[in-house]
Amino acid sequence: MSEVIHNVSEAGTQACPRCEKPLVDPYGLGWCKSCGFCRSLEEEKQLMPEEETAVQPSNVVLAGAAVGNLPTWFWMVFVGWFAILLGSYAVGKWFTVDQEFQRAVWTSCQIALGVFAIFSTHFYLLLNLAAEEPTLVFKDAMTGGRLWGMVGKRLPQYGGAVQIAAWGLALIVCASFFIGGLMHWFTYLPGRENNPKHPVEYESRRP
């Protein structure tokens, strides 16, 4: 909007730029009783475009800043999961079809390691949180429900515990899905000791 033109009369009072009638409070509000012109409002309107043009961060920038502020333990959870997934997939491809025993042993050991990591984390949390919550008992270390509820309210203090437990869960899941072979242990049930893979065929060949 163009500059507000101030017409000054011979008596030294400012006139309205619209109707040229005297302004009320010419050096302050600058209001015209005749047409409703207000000099102070017009001046504010001239400043508004400058305020509106202030650079506002986009949603993408804000999201990027939020991701960048995530703690290290959060990223380590995903790095560990990815490494365990790739390693388990490679091991599953490495074993051949006739290595079912070796496959079952590896899977069992990996699952046991994952279980150990999770329950070790539970006992660590129990020892540290029992001072704050006296009602915690040994059963809570086995189930873990109450412990993780308390941990969620105390992050990032216990971020390392979350990291270890998440890796333990990854070991269990990836061993089951990408390596497998646990069904091999069922071949050692009573009655299958002579020919674990083909007991029926073995019995048919007996004299």
Side-chain angles (χ1 to χ4, degrees):
M1 183 178 179
S2 61
E3 260 186 25
V4 178
I5 303 174
H6 301 289
N7 297 325
V8 183
S9 64
E10 293 180 356
T13 60
Q14 293 186 1
C16 175
R18 293 180 182 174
C19 62
E20 298 187 356
K21 297 295 179 70
L23 295 175
V24 176
D25 189 15
Y27 299 103
L29 184 63
W31 176 59
C32 177
K33 294 189 296 183
S34 178
C35 67
F37 173 80
C38 183
R39 178 176 53 77
S40 61
L41 290 178
E42 295 297 329
E43 291 175 351
E44 288 181 5
K45 289 180 182 180
Q46 293 179 13
L47 297 176
M48 285 179 63
E50 296 180 5
E51 297 176 355
E52 292 175 354
T53 55
V55 178
Q56 297 292 334
S58 64
N59 292 334
V60 175
V61 174
L62 292 174
V67 171
N69 291 329
L70 291 173
T72 304
W73 64 263
F74 181 86
W75 294 112
M76 291 303 297
V77 168
F78 289 97
V79 171
W81 264 85
F82 186 69
I84 293 171
L85 189 151
L86 288 181
S88 300
Y89 181 80
V91 170
K93 292 295 183 181
W94 179 60
F95 286 119
T96 59
V97 177
D98 57 344
Q99 292 180 309
E100 288 302 313
F101 174 75
Q102 293 88 335
R103 183 188 298 273
V105 170
W106 186 291
T107 300
S108 300
C109 291
Q110 183 167 321
I111 290 176
L113 180 60
V115 172
F116 175 78
I118 292 175
F119 282 103
S120 296
T121 304
H122 285 182
F123 284 111
Y124 166 80
L125 294 173
L126 179 65
L127 294 175
N128 284 270
L129 296 173
E132 304 177 32
E133 184 56 61
T135 60
L136 289 173
V137 294
F138 179 79
K139 180 181 177 181
D140 294 310
M142 302 302 294
T143 58
R146 292 185 62 195
L147 292 174
W148 290 116
M150 297 176 67
V151 168
K153 299 176 182 179
R154 290 165 175 80
L155 291 175
Q157 179 181 356
Y158 291 102
V162 176
Q163 176 180 313
I164 299 300
W167 289 353
L169 180 61
L171 287 170
I172 297 171
V173 173
C174 291
S176 303
F177 282 92
F178 295 106
I179 303 177
L182 291 178
M183 295 299 296
H184 176 76
W185 299 123
F186 288 96
T187 62
Y188 294 94
L189 292 175
R192 298 189 177 187
E193 61 273 11
N194 293 327
N195 193 338
K197 292 185 178 181
H198 305 289
V200 176
E201 181 180 351
Y202 176 82
E203 291 295 335
S204 64
R205 292 180 179 179
R206 293 181 61 181

